[in-house]
Amino acid sequence: MFEVDERAIRAAVDVLECSGLVAMPTETVYGLAANAEDEKAVKKIFEAKNRPTTHPLIVHITGEEALDHWAKNIPQNAYVLARRFWPGPLTIILKKADHVGDWLTGNQDSVGLRCPSHPWARALIKAFAGKHHRGLAAPSANTFGRISPTCAQHVMDDLGQKPKGKVDLILDGGECDVGVESTIVNLSGEKPEILRHGAITRSMLEDALGCAVPDGGQDSPRVSGSLKSHYAPSTKVVLVDNVPEALATYGDKKLAVMADSTTIEATPANVLKWFDTPNSPQQYMHCLYARLHELDKAGAELIIVEMPQQGDAWEAVRDRLTRAAA
Ligand code: TXA
Ligand code: MG
């Protein structure tokens, strides 16, 4: 991670004040940020990403003190979670305050709020927020349906910087620590539910709230990350349980692989690239997207990934892999 460059932060605030777009490093993935109360600026986000306008954006705020500017009928649970996990990789869905634009929330009556912990994101949001708790709308800084960016170069390669690219300013704050998008918990309904898995696990939420936090059902608010084919590389991904067997099955194809290499004696000649399975869920999340980018670039016909084990801590990794393979 690079030290915060205060001059770059000031330049970014100027861009935001003029309805421009800034790529902002966060601890999860890079976000494509605009003033969340500026309809013209928010429309540019949807255009740059090629994202349907019915998919709501989340708003990045300085912390708990900004909650009641953005939301109403806030349940006690929101404060419990904000105090425990903010700043950090958790997005909370609440009933939106009346002034929050339908053009931001995809016409839903709720809004997603998140306070990121990355020092660059914190510096930018703080410098921009001012007295009125302004916030930054920011989806992941990738073209709709592509893998999320975990370093500035990913954003450069995909959306690009003006005049040739689409983003007014790309801030380079180094590699993202967490590596997958924030956990999303819905508190706008009767009971808390998880809409997207991330580094804050179900057991951490249940421990904080003292109740069960199941996955959201069919009638939960829409989450674009819940589309089956989200986060997909352009090369086809196949998830496997048995690596030697898969290598035999696809022996006639050029392969890129992420799996435990101790399961085989030697790497077959048709394997162009091999990454070993990271040991912990945190390490796996951290490098998952960067590796999918690399595997995608290897020139293979298929990407073979060994499915990691089950269990609470692995949910986010399994979820993103399943979507990458859909
Ligand atoms: O870690 C993250 O959350 C990153 C960084 C940049 O903060 N942002 C991110 O944004 O992943 P995005 O737009 O790619 O994903 C946010 C998800 C979307 O799937 C969206 O549908 C959902 O949050 N979302 C936003 N507002 C919502 C709402 N009111 N109700 C339900 N889902 C909502
Ligand atoms: Mg996204």
Side-chain angles (χ1 to χ4, degrees), residues 198-281:
I200 308 284
T201 63
R202 190 194 313 278
S203 58
M204 290 160 78
L205 294 170
E206 292 182 339
D207 182 61
L209 296 178
C211 66
V213 187
D215 286 348
Q218 286 287 308
D219 47 359
S220 307
R222 287 186 306 272
V223 177
S224 67
S226 64
L227 292 177
K228 246 189 154 177
S229 68
H230 221 61
Y231 314 107
S234 35
T235 315
K236 188 175 160 52
V237 177
V238 184
L239 289 177
V240 306
D241 289 317
N242 186 322
V243 177
E245 218 173 81
L247 291 177
T249 308
Y250 299 111
D252 59 340
K253 291 214 170 355
K254 283 188 244 163
L255 301 178
V257 182
M258 182 147 65
D260 178 2
S261 60
T262 62
T263 57
I264 57 159
E265 268 166 27
T267 313
N270 61 320
V271 173
L272 305 178
K273 187 152 201 94
W274 187 301
F275 283 121
D276 241 297
T277 311
N279 298 324
S280 70

Side-chain angles (χ1 to χ4, degrees), residues 29 49 51 139-149 181 196 224-225 230-231:
V29 300
K49 278 183 65 84
R51 170 162 161 154
S140 49
N142 54 289
T143 305
F144 184 66
R146 299 271 286 273
I147 309 168
S148 294
E181 301 83 352
R196 180 172 74 186
S224 67
H230 221 61
Y231 314 107

